[in-house]
């Protein structure tokens, strides 16, 4: 996978982005203050259009450009729409 596929993955100021409040090594107690679950990055790449989509919070449901796959659940759960073979999951959990 070429790096430019991830061009949407820039840490711009987005108050809903959990990465603005915590780091990957933040403890569960620190995360709960901000209502953040156990998933650090909840995203997927569509194999058809190459779009990288990421769900930032619990109700952030996102489709890729071509509408083949979708992600949802933010830091709480990795909900997916579309076929598994059409996507590459990009999921990282908090260390602790
Ligand atoms: Zn797509």
């Amino acid at each position: 996978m070429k790096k430019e596929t991830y061009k949407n993955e820039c840490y711009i100021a987005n108050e809903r982005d959990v990465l603005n409040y915590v780091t990957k090594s933040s403890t569960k107690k620190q995360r709960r203050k901000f209502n953040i679950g156990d998933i650090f990055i909840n995203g997927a790449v569509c194999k058809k259009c190459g779009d990288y989509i990421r769900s930032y919070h619990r109700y952030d449901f996102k489709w890729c450009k071509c509408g083949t796959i979708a992600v949802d659940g933010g830091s709480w759960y990795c909900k997916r729409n579309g076929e598994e073979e059409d996507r590459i999951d990009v999921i990282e959990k908090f260390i602790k």
Side-chain angles (χ1 to χ4, degrees):
M1 189 64 53
K2 278 198 258 167
K3 188 132 192 176
E4 47 266 35
T5 308
Y6 298 93
K7 64 187 172 207
N8 293 343
E9 184 66 4
C10 54
Y11 302 127
I12 49 169
N14 174 349
E15 60 178 11
R16 298 180 309 176
D17 187 347
V18 300
L19 301 182
N20 288 336
Y21 298 99
V22 291
T23 66
K24 202 175 175 184
S25 58
S26 295
T27 64
K28 197 170 255 195
K29 194 177 165 195
Q30 287 168 328
R31 300 198 307 269
R32 291 303 184 264
K33 276 189 215 163
F34 301 105
N35 197 23
I36 293 167
D38 296 330
I39 301 159
F40 184 61
I41 290 178
N42 179 3
V45 176
C46 174
K47 287 186 187 171
K48 290 192 179 168
C49 68
D51 204 8
Y52 171 57
I53 49 174
R54 211 183 114 197
S55 176
Y56 288 94
H57 58 92
R58 200 190 292 254
Y59 306 110
D60 190 22
F61 183 87
K62 289 226 183 74
W63 288 100
C64 70
K65 278 186 295 212
C66 74
T68 300
I69 63 158
V71 297
D72 191 20
S75 66
W76 292 97
Y77 51 91
C78 293
K79 195 175 162 196
R80 297 290 184 263
N81 268 51
E83 300 301 321
E84 199 174 341
E85 64 258 29
D86 291 332
R87 68 170 190 265
I88 301 164
D89 278 322
V90 181
I91 298 168
E92 283 184 39
K93 291 194 165 179
F94 285 96
I95 295 164
K96 293 168 197 166

